[in-house]
Amino acid sequence: MSNDSRTQSLVFGLPWPELNDGIFYNDVVPHSDSGLTLVEFYSRKYKHSAPLQGWLQRIQNGQISVDGRVVKDPNAILSGDSVLVYHRLPWKEPDVPHLLEVLYEDDDLIALNKPSGLQVLPGGLFQQRTVLTQLCWSVKKQNPPLKSQESHPVPVHRLGRGTSGILLCAKTKVAKTRLAAYFADGTSLVGANSNRKAELGGTRKISKIYRALVTGLLGEDKVVIDQPIGTVRYPGVAKGLYVASPSGKPALSKVEVLERDGKQNCTLVQVEIESGRPHQIRIHLSFIGHPLLGDPLYIAGGQPRCFDSEIVDESYAQDGGYHKPTNPVPGDCGYYLHAHRLVLSHPTTNEMIYITAPLPSVLRTSYEANSLPESMSVNSAK
């Protein structure tokens, strides 16, 4: 069943408030940390959040409480089992889109057309201005307070902040569990040995196809990329940056050329991913020498443009945290990547569902640009 037959065009979203609500972070002091000072605890455990001087400022501002009492003395001695609460003060998050288009919806799931620039889940500077927040607000607006607290749709996978297109969300616990398993199973198949793949050959229950615009003219019409993806230390990315790495985890992308533009020196491609590693398409296409057009982070070879991972800026911003990195980070936008088509086995009915997100004009072939209205999508064949 295609998305056109199950939902009418629906767009929702509330404008973002000027400031978010701030965040409260809770900790219980382990007995192994008993005897540490307040500033030692935070500057050691959360050194990725702020330098020592930044944590001193936060404590002296009265942003941290111990067992319900605000403590401004950074040298206060902590006891095991004490409850600490750090209040990150409200701030203005960067401007991002707030409207979301519904591509498909039933009692179990909802598929959204995520705009480029909007983050899916909270992280970093974006704690309120996310897809998840708009989903929560939508449920509260439509339902009584008690019901809206019980459950709301949640994304079951991620798209990069700069990536647009189909984002699948679950509306029930059963759907969430099964859809998450679909994505995990697809990734695990890529790393399986040949015998295991043969055993599981017919079990893939979800397929994702993207459109991308890459630099240069890709010579081959079809390319299979199986470069492993791992992490390296990188400033501004606490858990490490994903890159092409021989010691990384298996990943597989199938690339097909749709159109070459010799005048602009770029190629429009279709990419089917059979694993779900973070930033996989950006890394794989840059690995073969054709980074996404406008990608501020990845360059040929599947590596970052700036690779000096030893330099750490110890200065701190007004809120005590580190300044935004001057080097490119994964959330930076500017590239052209769109989750165009998704085919899945419905998590409760096993019916095959076909969902298509309309293409941005820059990601259309010449034929599509000349023959299709801008709002029309192309449904995949059953």
Side-chain angles (χ1 to χ4, degrees), residues 232-346:
V232 294
R233 289 183 58 196
Y234 189 79
V237 184
K239 295 182 179 180
L241 177 70
Y242 287 92
V243 297
S245 169
S247 61
K249 295 181 179 180
L252 182 66
S253 302
K254 297 179 178 179
V255 182
E256 181 178 345
V257 171
L258 298 177
E259 198 167 73
R260 297 178 179 88
D261 187 338
K263 188 174 182 181
Q264 299 296 327
N265 191 34
C266 59
T267 305
L268 180 64
V269 297
Q270 173 177 290
V271 185
E272 180 177 4
I273 57 173
E274 297 201 1
S275 54
R277 305 299 178 197
H279 317 302
Q280 176 174 321
I281 294 176
R282 297 170 67 185
I283 294 169
H284 270 181
L285 287 168
S286 65
F287 175 75
I288 63 171
H290 296 276
L292 268 62
L293 186 65
D295 192 331
L297 177 59
Y298 292 105
I299 59 173
Q303 302 298 315
R305 189 176 303 276
C306 170
F307 212 160
D308 192 345
S309 60
E310 301 303 320
I311 298 176
V312 177
D313 182 3
E314 287 290 332
S315 66
Y316 57 96
Q318 187 174 359
D319 72 342
Y322 292 108
H323 288 287
K324 184 183 184 300
T326 55
N327 55 289
V329 293
D332 292 343
C333 302
Y335 56 89
Y336 298 101
L337 180 62
H338 182 72
H340 180 37
R341 293 177 179 172
L342 185 146
V343 182
L344 76 152
S345 174
H346 194 278

Side-chain angles (χ1 to χ4, degrees), residues 14-17 92-99 114-120 125-131 134 161-162 331 333:
L14 296 174
W16 305 113
K92 185 183 185 326
E93 299 180 17
D95 292 332
V96 297
H98 69 274
L99 294 177
K114 186 190 86 68
S116 174
L118 180 59
Q119 190 154 301
V120 175
L125 290 174
F126 299 95
Q127 295 294 325
Q128 183 180 63
R129 299 186 178 190
T130 66
V131 172
Q134 289 293 352
R161 191 167 78 84
C333 302

Side-chain angles (χ1 to χ4, degrees), residues 52-126:
L52 174 64
Q53 291 300 318
W55 280 114
L56 283 170
Q57 174 182 296
R58 291 169 172 179
I59 293 169
Q60 291 163 354
N61 280 349
Q63 293 174 242
I64 296 174
S65 66
V66 181
D67 294 327
R69 182 175 61 88
V70 172
V71 175
K72 294 186 178 182
D73 178 7
N75 296 312
I77 303 298
L78 299 177
S79 301
D81 293 331
S82 287
V83 177
L84 307 183
V85 179
Y86 158 56
H87 180 205
R88 184 177 179 183
L89 301 176
W91 71 94
K92 185 183 185 326
E93 299 180 17
D95 292 332
V96 297
H98 69 274
L99 294 177
L100 291 161
E101 179 187 7
V102 177
L103 299 171
Y104 174 93
E105 183 173 13
D106 61 26
D107 292 338
D108 298 288
L109 57 89
I110 179 172
L112 304 174
N113 188 8
K114 186 190 86 68
S116 174
L118 180 59
Q119 190 154 301
V120 175
L121 299 176
L125 290 174
F126 299 95

Side-chain angles (χ1 to χ4, degrees), residues 350-364:
N350 291 322
E351 177 187 16
M352 293 307 296
I353 305 296
Y354 298 79
I355 303 171
T356 304
L359 290 164
S361 57
V362 71
L363 294 178
R364 295 181 179 194

Side-chain angles (χ1 to χ4, degrees), residues 150-172:
E150 292 176 358
S151 65
H152 57 78
V154 292
V156 293
H157 64 113
R158 297 195 190 195
L159 294 179
R161 191 167 78 84
T163 305
S164 58
I166 302 169
L167 178 70
L168 200 58
C169 305
K171 298 172 70 174
T172 67

